[in-house]
Amino acid sequence: MSGTAMSTLYAMIMFNVIGTVNQLPAMFYNLYRLFMLWWFNEVHIIIPREGRETFTTNGFYFSVETYLNTMSSDTALRLKSATDRTGRLLMFTMDTDETITDVFVPDEGNKGKGKAIKVKWSYHRQQIRRGDAGTTQKKLYKLTLGARQWRQVGKQYLYHVMRTSHEAVAKNRERMLFTNSARRDELWEQNYVDHQVASTQAVLEHSASFAMLAMEPKKKQEIIDDLETFSKSQDYYAKIGKAWKRGYLLYGPPGTGKSTMIGCMANFLNYDVYDIDLTAVKDNTELRHLIVNTDSKSIIVIEDIDCSLHLSGAREAKKSNQGNKESVDEEKGDEGKSKATFSGPLNFIDGQNKGEGKSKVTLSGLLNSVDGLWSACGGERLIVFTTNHVEELDPALIRRGRMDVHIELGYCGFEAFKVLAKNYLGVEEHPLFEKVKDLLEKVNISPAEVAESLMPKNLREEDKASQCLRDLVRTLDQKKQEEDGGKGKKETQVKQ
Ligand SMILES: Nc1ncnc2c1ncn2[C@@H]1O[C@H](COP(=O)(O)OP(=O)(O)OP(=O)(O)O)[C@@H](O)[C@H]1O
Ligand SMILES: [Mg+2]
């Protein structure tokens, strides 16, 4: 094909894409177009970096870049690599004039009838002379595919590119942790927050995944299925007229993995986390304001809800004192005064009430805020309460409909231990496993304590697994003796 003919074709496709050939008589134009497609049998689509207006950029160019990044590292021969803007994620892009091939299977029922098509992508830079102003460089991607394929599934393919790139962006999106909490330092210690970026934004650094969560496998799978179903059920929730929200109550003794599970949920769903410390919330109005101002795709967390406030007490006092308007007045008194926002994780509540136990949040205030979230906010959200003492919570707070799923996290059983042994020591079998199994049936020990025993204490030790397992057996024996001696709790507890 001659250079002139190619340029004509480029020009045509570009005209076609941006729709500027309206002046041509329609019939002549269509005939001409069909002839060109038949004659050259290939279509080239140019996606320039520059947008249509001066000084603008073309969003689709970046979608293509992200899309190609999801595949170019496997197929291109020359790649450029760089980190993304956060400096954390490695991106691979094609080098100039590099070409890669993509295979696309259109939907059944489409004109392409489900047959795979091959398309080519290439990346180019062109020097453009601008008279006396010198030259500028134009960056562009070029898509090449058969003329018939373009007619049949071209648009479907381009939408596929756009959708895949949006999904990749969503997947690699950094999860943020917002907190009103004076517990910020504690969160840092737990590696929830990256120190370096905390002054401007808090990135959720918790690397927890369900794979490393020690829990009975069937129960774990049920939770994963529940989360997955929830995240894909937008249409279903709309159909039954229910807000797209789900409440989780996580309860169990200390160190059984409640906070860890929240990290797993956030990473699994790719949601942000809003950690609300009720003791740092001034009053009910402020709480409502905080909750309603959370973004979609987020998990609103209230940890240790039993200790944050004496919520059940507040409710009981209110019940037994129906005539006393004080608590109601308290709830209404600060209407409109709240200034709290989730503008960032640091200092967004004025310091005076922080951690001083002066919060005036009441149980009914909390109930109203949760219900307000259910009714007033669009978008998907989870709300998670954690507690060590579920029996002390007011039934209204945790009734189904508010807290849809109740998950008990118990002491460490043998199944949970095997997950920990695999994660911490990389072993799936060991002669000491039988002994550990036997002791775990008799002793109540939290996964946190087991995890602590499984941490190598001496790097010079060659057989770290045996050393750690011996350490665990010693700890379990010691606990058993304590329990046998009546010092510890002896009643059987739920194990995971
Ligand atoms: N089920 C578990 N699976 C894996 N690791 C666990 C599990 N439970 C606890 N751990 C380990 O123990 C540490 C403490 O656990 P975590 O903070 O999740 O407990 P918790 O139930 O929230 O305790 P608390 O009631 O005191 O807040 C975690 O950092 C993790 O390393
Ligand atoms: Mg916790």
Side-chain angles (χ1 to χ4, degrees):
M1 196 188 309
S2 75
T4 327
M6 280 297 283
S7 327
T8 318
L9 182 61
Y10 280 159
M12 274 208 48
I13 300 301
M14 284 303 290
F15 283 162
N16 191 10
V17 172
I18 60 178
T20 52
V21 206
N22 298 340
Q23 297 90 336
L24 290 176
M27 207 172 80
F28 169 73
Y29 170 70
N30 280 336
L31 279 174
Y32 178 63
R33 198 176 65 123
L34 283 175
F35 170 74
M36 295 293 275
L37 288 179
W38 169 78
W39 185 256
F40 292 107
N41 208 24
E42 244 183 12
V43 172
H44 304 268
I45 298 173
I46 307 298
I47 295 115
R49 191 174 189 279
E50 289 75 30
R52 289 170 65 177
E53 310 290 333
T54 325
F55 299 129
T56 61
T57 47
N58 175 4
F60 190 52
Y61 173 92
F62 297 102
S63 298
V64 170
E65 190 166 80
T66 310
Y67 176 78
L68 295 177
N69 185 48
T70 62
M71 50 179 282
S72 58
S73 52
D74 298 335
T75 46
L77 293 177
R78 273 180 303 130
L79 296 168
K80 284 183 298 180
S81 76
T83 51
D84 72 341
R85 69 182 169 80
T86 64
R88 290 147 191 267
L89 200 70
L90 205 54
M91 299 271 292
F92 289 98
T93 48
M94 280 189 279
D95 203 355
T96 313
D97 299 330
E98 178 69 67
T99 301
I100 61 168
T101 308
D102 186 21
V103 178
F104 171 63
V105 184
D107 291 343
E108 289 281 347
N110 198 288
K111 278 188 188 160
K113 297 195 180 72
K115 269 196 218 140
I117 61 160
K118 261 191 188 170
V119 303
K120 271 189 260 165
W121 283 101
S122 49
Y123 174 68
H124 307 277
R125 281 195 273 189
Q126 292 174 349
Q127 298 289 341
I128 310 262
R129 284 204 71 79
R130 294 212 187 275
D132 294 341
T135 57
T136 55
Q137 201 178 60
K138 262 186 135 183
K139 296 177 180 175
L140 56 93
Y141 283 104
K142 188 173 83 178
L143 168 67
T144 307
L145 74 173
R148 176 193 288 223
Q149 293 166 343
W150 168 245
R151 277 200 306 279
Q152 291 183 336
V153 292
K155 277 192 187 146
Q156 197 192 343
Y157 176 69
L158 292 180
Y159 277 112
H160 157 78
V161 170
M162 221 147 66
R163 210 173 33 247
T164 312
S165 94
H166 285 167
E167 281 167 9
V169 168
K171 202 167 138 214
N172 293 326
R173 180 178 82 101
E174 285 171 333
R175 285 166 302 290
M176 304 299 293
L177 174 78
F178 299 91
T179 177
N180 66 327
S181 173
R183 291 170 46 228
R184 205 171 63 237
D185 296 342
E186 188 193 319
L187 292 168
W188 271 347
E189 273 167 29
Q190 290 180 8
N191 279 335
Y192 269 101
V193 181
D194 182 341
H195 288 251
Q196 285 167 1
V197 293
S199 56
T200 49
Q201 57 178 359
V203 176
L204 186 70
E205 287 285 300
H206 210 296
S207 57
S209 72
F210 277 110
M212 52 79 72
L213 186 71
M215 198 177 194
E216 201 266 305
K218 195 164 159 256
K219 196 166 156 190
K220 187 171 13 177
Q221 194 55 48
E222 277 171 15
I223 297 168
I224 295 173
D225 290 345
D226 189 82
L227 289 169
E228 196 166 17
T229 310
F230 168 77
S231 68
K232 292 184 177 160
S233 299
Q234 179 170 23
D235 294 344
Y236 176 73
Y237 276 76
K239 197 171 128 201
I240 61 168
K242 209 170 173 285
W244 193 14
K245 315 279 179 297
R246 200 146 176 84
Y248 283 80
L249 173 72
L250 310 182
Y251 65 96
T256 50
K258 298 177 291 299
S259 305
T260 308
M261 182 177 282
I262 294 168
C264 297
M265 289 172 155
N267 287 332
F268 179 71
L269 294 171
N270 209 5
Y271 283 8
D272 295 329
V273 173
Y274 288 82
D275 178 73
I276 298 183
D277 178 359
L278 284 184
T279 59
V281 181
K282 199 165 59 190
D283 52 39
N284 294 332
T285 316
E286 192 165 272
L287 177 65
R288 196 182 165 93
H289 192 82
L290 284 174
I291 288 188
V292 169
N293 277 300
T294 55
D295 278 335
S296 177
K297 285 188 182 293
S298 60
I299 305 183
I300 300 162
V301 177
I302 304 183
E303 290 248 39
D304 302 321
I305 194 152
D306 54 311
C307 338
S308 305
L309 300 166
H310 297 292
L311 289 171
S312 51
R315 174 108 162 175
E316 274 155 23
K318 214 177 151 195
K319 261 196 250 163
S320 65
N321 202 359
Q322 293 286 344
N324 183 354
K325 290 247 174 68
E326 206 175 307
S327 56
V328 178
D329 292 345
E330 253 180 25
E331 279 168 39
K332 291 190 174 169
D334 293 316
E335 208 73 55
K337 285 188 200 167
S338 173
K339 292 193 179 63
T341 59
F342 273 115
S343 57
L346 309 181
N347 302 327
F348 74 93
I349 280 186
D350 58 12
Q352 56 185 349
N353 289 320
K354 262 187 194 173
E356 291 172 19
K358 288 184 187 165
S359 172
K360 289 184 190 163
V361 174
T362 61
L363 176 63
S364 61
L366 179 59
L367 297 181
N368 287 339
S369 301
V370 173
D371 293 346
L373 170 74
W374 260 223
S375 57
C377 301
E380 59 208 279
R381 282 179 190 76
L382 296 183
I383 185 158
V384 182
F385 292 164
T386 73
T387 180
N388 296 139
H389 303 283
V390 67
E391 66 289 348
E392 285 177 20
L393 295 181
D394 192 297
L397 186 63
I398 56 172
R399 72 157 167 77
R400 308 285 157 152
R402 280 203 184 98
M403 290 293 119
D404 305 279
V405 188
H406 294 192
I407 301 170
E408 178 167 15
L409 290 138
Y411 288 113
C412 191
F414 186 59
E415 289 301 322
F417 158 75
K418 284 201 289 190
V419 178
L420 292 172
K422 192 167 173 223
N423 286 339
Y424 282 73
L425 306 173
V427 294
E428 294 188 50
E429 279 179 19
H430 192 280
L432 282 173
F433 271 24
E434 270 309 306
K435 177 92 178 137
V436 172
K437 184 177 181 197
D438 181 50
L439 283 166
L440 283 175
E441 278 164 14
K442 297 173 183 149
V443 172
N444 291 330
I445 185 167
S446 69
E449 285 174 280
V450 173
E452 172 54 31
S453 291
L454 297 183
M455 297 274 285
K457 315 282 180 310
N458 181 354
L459 289 177
R460 285 187 304 278
E461 180 76 47
E462 285 202 356
D463 187 358
K464 292 193 189 61
S466 300
Q467 182 213 8
C468 294
L469 287 168
R470 275 197 300 273
D471 187 25
L472 176 63
V473 169
R474 232 185 344 265
T475 309
L476 287 168
D477 269 333
Q478 209 173 334
K479 273 198 167 265
K480 186 167 176 303
Q481 277 169 21
E482 281 172 15
E483 290 186 4
D484 288 346
K487 286 184 209 154
K489 278 191 218 160
K490 236 191 143 186
E491 69 273 19
T492 318
Q493 302 270 355
V494 171
K495 304 222 166 153
Q496 48 186 341

